[in-house]
């Protein structure tokens, strides 16, 4: 039968795999998530292979392979993954204690000789992107240092999709930063002279791929809520060492920057008090803007920068798992 002009070719027909009802699975850090993959029939001598597409290099990392009777796990996800196998046609992948690095695109592939077929799904963590720079000023990180800095603040380098979503939700930042795939961007909502000029349209502006060793920028980090944890403030006039000890005295740890952003975003933490954080910076989270709390019209995590660690002016923000 002839195809009508202008009609797109139909996608390959799935003979054995069922198309998932939803292409994205939403979860939280620390939770258990299942990516569905169900067969409508069992071909002879088949295998099912689960893999993850890594955004840093666009390669697929094998997670698990099964022939229906036996399976083998691979890679760093190995201790936290299993097949759900609720019935003989079920090859769904279950991930326990979901971590930040688990977000991304997964592929369930039926390997059956000439009739190989696959379905793709996305594991999505609700989270927040925040810009980050060290105490010695902006544009100091090469790619590897930016990656490490985010990880030290209970976060990871953001993906482009995460940065784009953050821009759509209001992130406006004039300093360029690394993201996970090794490219450099900055999100602008209010066009202005110091940020490319007033004539450029709002958007996520890009410097493209840069030299990961030599080029230096800030970082865009992504973090997510962690189930069963809280961030709280201890009032006082503490230097940095005393702030850390005050948290320890409460059976907690001094909060990291990513943990404060997460508490502001997901627990609506709102305080007008500057407090020490683990990196030596002083910040405070505002969900209800008001005149005596910085005077800025938008919610956010405000920063006093990196004052002398001997200064006894601030309290501290602590992080504890419930």
């Amino acid at each position: 039968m002839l195809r009508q002009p202008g009609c797109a070719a139909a996608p390959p027909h799935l003979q054995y795999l069922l198309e998932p009802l939803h292409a994205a699975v939403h979860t939280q850090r620390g939770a258990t998530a299942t990516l569905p993959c169900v067969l409508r029939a069992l071909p002879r001598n088949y295998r099912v292979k689960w893999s993850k597409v890594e955004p840093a290099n666009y390669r697929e990392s094998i997670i698990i392979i099964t022939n229906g009777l036996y399976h083998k796990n691979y890679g760093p996800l190995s201790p936290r993954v299993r097949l759900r196998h609720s019935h003989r046609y079920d090859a769904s992948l279950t991930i326990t204690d979901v971590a930040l690095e688990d977000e991304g695109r997964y592929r369930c592939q039926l390997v059956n000789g000439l009739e190989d077929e696959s379905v793709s799904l996305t594991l999505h963590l609700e989270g927040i992107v925040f810009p980050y720079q060290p105490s010695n000023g902006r544009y100091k990180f090469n790619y590897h240092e930016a990656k490490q800095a985010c990880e030290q603040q209970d976060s990871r380098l953001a993906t482009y999709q995460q940065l784009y979503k953050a821009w759509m939700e209001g992130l406006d930042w004039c300093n360029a930063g690394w993201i996970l795939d090794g490219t450099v961007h900055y999100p602008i909502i209010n066009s202005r002279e110091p940020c490319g000029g007033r004539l450029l349209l709002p958007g996520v502006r890009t410097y493209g791929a840069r030299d990961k060793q030599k080029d230096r920028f800030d970082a865009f980090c992504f973090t997510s809520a962690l189930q069963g944890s809280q961030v709280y403030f201890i009032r006082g006039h503490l230097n940095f060492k005393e702030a850390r000890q005050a948290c320890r005295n409460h059976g907690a740890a001094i909060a990291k920057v990513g943990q404060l952003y997460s508490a502001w975003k997901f627990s609506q933490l709102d305080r007008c008090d500057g407090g020490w954080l683990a990196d030596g910076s002083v910040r405070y989270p505002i969900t209800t803007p008001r005149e005596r709390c910085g005077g800025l019209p938008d919610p956010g995590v405000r920063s006093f920068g990196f004052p002398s660690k001997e200064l006894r002016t601030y309290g501290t923000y602590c992080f504890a798992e419930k």
Side-chain angles (χ1 to χ4, degrees), residues 174 186 188 191-201 205 207:
C174 202
Y186 64 102
I188 292 296
S191 298
R192 49 203 186 272
E193 286 303 328
C195 304
R198 298 180 183 275
L199 299 180
L200 283 181
L201 293 174
R205 298 175 183 165
Y207 287 9

Side-chain angles (χ1 to χ4, degrees), residues 5-317:
C7 292
H13 177 67
L14 292 174
Q15 181 178 354
Y16 292 104
L17 293 177
L18 289 171
E19 191 72 39
L21 286 175
H22 304 286
V25 173
H26 295 261
T27 188
Q28 290 184 313
R29 187 159 50 140
T32 296
T34 297
L35 299 166
C37 184
V38 178
L39 285 69
R40 69 173 87 237
L42 300 178
R44 298 180 62 184
N45 301 321
Y46 78 95
R47 289 181 298 152
V48 170
K49 179 176 73 174
W50 274 100
S51 56
K52 184 175 188 290
V53 180
E54 302 295 348
N57 53 27
Y58 301 104
R59 295 179 180 174
E60 289 197 16
S61 300
I62 297 174
I63 300 170
I64 195 168
I65 295 178
T66 181
N67 64 1
L69 295 175
Y70 306 100
H71 69 270
K72 185 174 182 181
N73 293 15
Y74 297 85
L77 264 175
S78 181
R80 296 190 289 112
V81 296
R82 57 179 170 83
L83 294 170
R84 181 173 64 182
H85 208 61
S86 59
H87 52 78
R88 62 195 296 244
Y89 300 101
D90 185 13
S92 302
L93 182 73
T94 294
I95 305 173
T96 60
D97 194 20
V98 170
L100 289 173
E101 60 269 23
D102 297 342
E103 172 156 304
R105 188 157 63 89
Y106 292 76
R107 190 159 77 111
C108 176
Q109 181 182 13
L110 176 73
V111 182
N112 184 34
L114 298 176
E115 300 176 8
D116 294 0
E117 54 191 62
S118 66
V119 295
S120 292
L121 301 107
T122 300
L123 186 66
H124 177 74
L125 276 72
E126 288 298 325
I128 182 171
V129 172
F130 61 93
Y132 188 75
Q133 57 184 225
S135 60
N136 57 343
R138 74 172 195 158
Y139 293 179
K140 300 296 183 181
F141 293 135
N142 68 23
Y143 172 82
H144 307 288
E145 291 163 346
K147 185 173 183 291
Q148 183 180 39
C150 287
E151 290 167 356
Q152 289 172 344
Q153 296 310 313
D154 192 47
S155 59
R156 70 189 299 246
L157 279 175
T159 65
Y160 182 81
Q161 290 79 9
Q162 290 164 345
L163 181 62
Y164 188 85
K165 183 174 183 288
W167 167 72
M168 291 184 67
E169 293 174 350
L171 182 59
D172 181 277
W173 197 255
C174 202
N175 294 343
W178 293 102
I179 63 172
L180 188 58
D181 65 3
T183 57
V184 174
H185 310 265
Y186 64 102
I188 292 296
I189 290 176
N190 301 307
S191 298
R192 49 203 186 272
E193 286 303 328
C195 304
R198 298 180 183 275
L199 299 180
L200 283 181
L201 293 174
V204 178
R205 298 175 183 165
T206 179
Y207 287 9
R210 306 306 293 252
D211 189 307
K212 291 183 178 181
Q213 293 288 354
K214 296 179 181 178
D215 289 328
R216 295 188 174 271
F217 298 95
D218 292 345
F220 286 105
C221 306
F222 172 83
T223 192
S224 178
L226 180 61
Q227 288 188 338
S229 65
Q230 68 173 147
V231 172
Y232 60 91
F233 181 74
I234 295 179
R235 188 182 298 276
H237 297 282
L238 310 170
N239 64 29
F240 178 69
K241 184 177 179 180
E242 292 166 344
R244 285 195 304 183
Q245 188 59 49
C247 291
R248 289 196 194 105
N249 293 344
H250 283 74
I254 189 169
K256 299 177 180 180
V257 177
Q259 291 163 346
L260 184 65
Y261 268 93
S262 178
W264 166 73
K265 174 74 172 179
F266 298 105
S267 301
Q268 287 72 56
L269 184 62
D270 183 285
R271 288 206 66 104
C272 206
D273 306 280
W276 291 103
L277 296 177
D279 65 341
S281 66
V282 172
R283 306 173 196 249
Y284 62 101
I286 294 296
T287 57
T288 305
R290 45 210 186 270
E291 190 63 34
R292 294 190 176 183
C293 294
L296 295 176
D298 299 316
V301 174
R302 318 275 196 246
S303 175
F304 287 120
F306 295 83
S308 167
K309 291 184 176 180
E310 301 304 317
L311 198 63
R312 284 191 171 94
T313 305
Y314 307 104
T316 185
Y317 288 96

